Amino acid sequence: MRLTNYEMARRIGQLEQLLDRADLIGYAAARNTRVLSQACGEYMQMQDRLICELGVPDTDEDGRETGAVRLDFDSPNFAEFRKAMDEIAPIESDVELFSLPEGEAVGKLSGRQLLDLGWMFEEDGKEI
């Protein structure tokens, strides 16, 4: 399957909700997260580096720094971040993702999860 850096990063985020599962769905989520992370690792590193460079220290409700850095959409630096990321977001890679029959998900995942993760399940050998 051919995916862009952006699509791979989005799918990693979708899989996160399944990583604590101790069943076949959790296994598939972990395996696909690993494959996708390897394929778009440089993209994710660039994103993290730019957020650290262009963002501001995050603070808690008492104004103390949390150790994290954030870059808000309304930041004057967000346009620079977006421009840099837009250059590498459409770069494509071939990845081989693990899929499961949709019967593995019925009764185990919510309808919302099935909509988000339809790419990971197959119906009669086709992605749903």
Side-chain angles (χ1 to χ4, degrees):
M1 167 181 302
R2 196 155 183 81
L3 297 171
T4 66
N5 280 327
Y6 174 78
E7 291 168 325
M8 289 185 281
R10 184 175 51 83
R11 287 184 180 196
I12 290 168
Q14 291 172 327
L15 289 167
E16 190 168 327
Q17 62 185 306
L18 303 178
L19 291 175
D20 289 330
R21 295 181 64 101
D23 59 8
L24 188 57
I25 294 172
Y27 169 82
R31 182 172 169 171
N32 287 335
T33 297
R34 181 179 42 81
V35 168
L36 292 166
S37 295
Q38 289 173 343
C40 74
E42 291 81 6
Y43 174 79
M44 302 292 281
Q45 289 172 1
M46 171 80 85
Q47 182 177 15
D48 291 344
R49 183 178 61 76
L50 287 170
I51 289 171
C52 287
E53 286 177 14
L54 301 171
V56 297
D58 195 22
T59 55
D60 63 17
E61 58 275 355
D62 296 322
R64 291 184 297 241
E65 291 186 10
T66 63
V69 178
R70 73 174 196 276
L71 181 61
D72 297 325
F73 293 114
D74 60 354
S75 165
N77 293 332
F78 189 78
E80 183 180 346
F81 168 80
R82 188 60 163 185
K83 182 180 179 204
M85 293 306 295
D86 284 349
E87 289 179 12
I88 61 172
I91 295 172
E92 295 180 330
S93 295
D94 288 316
V95 292
E96 190 170 331
L97 297 176
F98 185 74
S99 59
L100 298 170
E102 70 176 332
E104 287 293 327
V106 175
K108 298 176 183 175
L109 298 181
S110 70
R112 184 176 311 281
Q113 288 173 312
L114 288 170
L115 286 173
D116 283 347
L117 299 159
W119 56 266
M120 196 170 79
F121 297 96
E122 295 179 353
E123 176 184 32
D124 298 326
K126 300 176 201 167
E127 183 180 304
I128 61 170

